[in-house]
Amino acid sequence: MGGGLEGGNRGPSYTVTCEDYVHVVEFSPFESGSAGSLLAYGGNLFVVVAVCRFQEEDLEVEGLEFDTLRVFHHGVRIDTLAWSPESRLDKLPQVIRFCTAAADSKLRLLTSDLKDSHEVKEIEGHTSYINHLVFEPTEGKQIASVSDDHTCRVWDLDGNETALFKLRSPGMSVCWHPAEVLKLMVAEKKGTIRFYDLVSQQAILSLDCGQIPLMSADWCLANSIKVGAVVGTDWVIWDVTRSSYPQRKKPCHVDRARLFRWSRANENLFSTTGCPGKISSQLLVHHLSHPQPVMIGSSTVGGGLSWHRSLPLCVTGGDRKLSFWMTEM
């Protein structure tokens, strides 16, 4: 286990071996009725759904318990994935529901009872690479997605497009906050983040990075006035009540930064990854009260970054493995 807040390089707290290269990995941000956390990861052909439980939340667990629930054949490389709040393990029939975006510019809505019933709904409409997607977080009856085709689109679960927002550059991230369900946050590669009113379908607020390219942005679950992003080699953070320009920014990755994710449990904790390099990709965990990263991790080239629902722990994907990184607070 890694030590305290002194930063420094270290390996992951836990690893899990996978059959395939991991392009994307996501903890479910929602309560599923299970003692553990739902997690899904996707590779070139499969999506694997599992439940994991850590010794930091249950003293009877030794390290990490990782139980695979189901392997879904996908047939095409998965680029991004989002959990539905309708996924529940404490009722019968159980429900697993998530949506993927793949290299063929289609969304796939997967629903399973983990037994006999298994449904895949293909959703078409985007004309280029889909960079990110998200479910409406309270009921899960809508999905929003952003693409290199300069659009953000909102879909119902039947695959009907219910809203279309035309962007000025590729859409890189889309966020739907449970405390602000009538707004959608959309981040564009040219460095602008806009909040759209879903009733009027008009932009109501915009934030400006002041630089390009924006690769990833996130809306803080623990405090909805905080927005963060990675742009160029820097991380940037806004207080949306104060200014359209970032309150804080700092260089973080030598090459280009790739992903930004807020901790779901701590509004001052966030992580960034560098673009996968030839050998390794860097994971940094930052705390707003510390001038240097509180953790520096290095893992073989991979994809994905996600925080646990309640622990200061994030997961990254790699070459046939998942790496779990606990931040000692």
Side-chain angles (χ1 to χ4, degrees):
M1 299 297 295
L5 286 168
E6 73 284 350
N9 282 43
R10 69 171 180 83
S13 310
Y14 311 105
T15 56
V16 171
T17 304
C18 309
E19 296 282 309
D20 193 2
Y21 187 97
V22 179
H23 292 289
V24 60
V25 56
E26 291 288 343
F27 279 115
S28 172
F30 306 110
E31 173 61 58
S32 67
S34 157
S37 290
L38 279 172
L39 176 137
Y41 64 90
N44 292 316
L45 294 170
F46 304 98
V47 181
V48 179
V49 170
V51 169
C52 42
R53 195 151 174 77
F54 300 87
Q55 67 182 16
E56 285 81 2
E57 56 188 337
D58 183 347
L59 294 172
E60 293 183 5
V61 173
E62 286 187 29
L64 162 64
E65 269 178 15
F66 191 90
D67 296 317
T68 298
L69 299 179
R70 178 157 179 161
V71 178
F72 297 87
H73 186 72
H74 197 268
V76 61
R77 189 190 77 217
I78 296 135
D79 294 318
T80 184
L81 178 154
W83 278 99
S84 164
E86 293 188 283
S87 296
R88 301 293 302 191
L89 296 177
D90 59 345
K91 299 187 178 84
L92 289 175
Q94 294 180 318
V95 177
I96 291 290
R97 177 172 281 163
F98 58 92
C99 189
T100 64
D104 58 5
S105 303
K106 293 179 187 175
L107 301 175
R108 287 172 176 81
L109 177 64
L110 290 91
T111 308
S112 172
D113 66 358
L114 298 177
K115 289 189 176 161
D116 315 315
S117 172
H118 172 52
E119 184 187 336
V120 182
K121 170 104 191 146
E122 290 191 358
I123 301 175
E124 298 187 50
H126 280 298
T127 57
S128 188
Y129 195 87
I130 299 164
N131 290 305
H132 199 216
L133 68 147
V134 67
F135 276 84
E136 190 283 320
T138 55
E139 296 180 358
K141 300 302 187 189
Q142 297 178 90
I143 300 163
S145 55
V146 287
S147 164
D148 280 357
D149 67 10
H150 293 208
T151 67
C152 171
R153 299 171 194 244
V154 181
W155 319 85
D156 65 21
L157 299 192
D158 293 322
N160 302 305
E161 185 183 291
T162 60
L164 169 70
F165 300 102
K166 292 187 175 174
L167 312 178
R168 295 168 201 179
S169 62
M172 301 305 289
S173 296
V174 58
C175 299
W176 215 326
H177 200 289
E180 302 267 6
V181 291
L182 296 179
K183 294 177 189 167
L184 205 56
M185 188 194 97
V186 178
E188 295 189 34
K189 196 168 189 176
K190 279 193 176 171
T192 303
I193 298 174
R194 287 188 182 85
F195 290 83
Y196 292 92
D197 181 313
L198 288 167
V199 180
S200 69
Q201 299 197 3
Q202 299 295 313
I204 50 174
L205 175 71
S206 68
L207 307 174
D208 189 352
C209 287
Q211 60 194 101
I212 57 168
L214 184 154
M215 297 301 287
S216 170
D218 197 21
W219 194 354
C220 183
L221 183 66
N223 185 345
S224 64
I225 70 168
K226 287 184 176 180
V227 171
V230 284
V231 54
T233 59
D234 301 351
W235 58 256
V236 294
I237 288 173
W238 292 263
D239 170 342
V240 300
T241 64
R242 289 178 59 187
S243 169
S244 62
Y245 289 98
Q247 264 65 59
R248 302 184 63 169
K249 63 183 267 187
K250 186 168 281 191
C252 54
H253 295 276
V254 179
D255 297 321
R256 188 176 291 177
R258 177 64 191 92
L259 294 171
F260 182 108
R261 295 284 184 271
W262 289 105
S263 161
R264 289 174 173 143
N266 183 332
E267 65 173 84
N268 293 310
L269 198 63
F270 61 97
S271 54
T272 59
T273 61
C275 281
K278 290 185 174 64
I279 301 163
S280 68
S281 168
Q282 200 176 42
L283 165 74
L284 300 178
V285 176
H286 314 265
H287 191 284
L288 285 174
S289 66
H290 290 264
Q292 299 300 323
V294 296
M295 197 203 77
I296 303 170
S298 185
S299 61
T300 51
V301 183
L305 171 64
S306 182
W307 284 88
H308 188 275
R309 211 165 55 85
S310 55
L311 294 174
L313 174 138
C314 53
V315 60
T316 56
D319 187 4
R320 292 188 294 279
K321 71 173 181 182
L322 297 173
S323 298
F324 297 89
W325 312 81
M326 182 69 70
T327 302
E328 309 290 335
M329 297 307 294

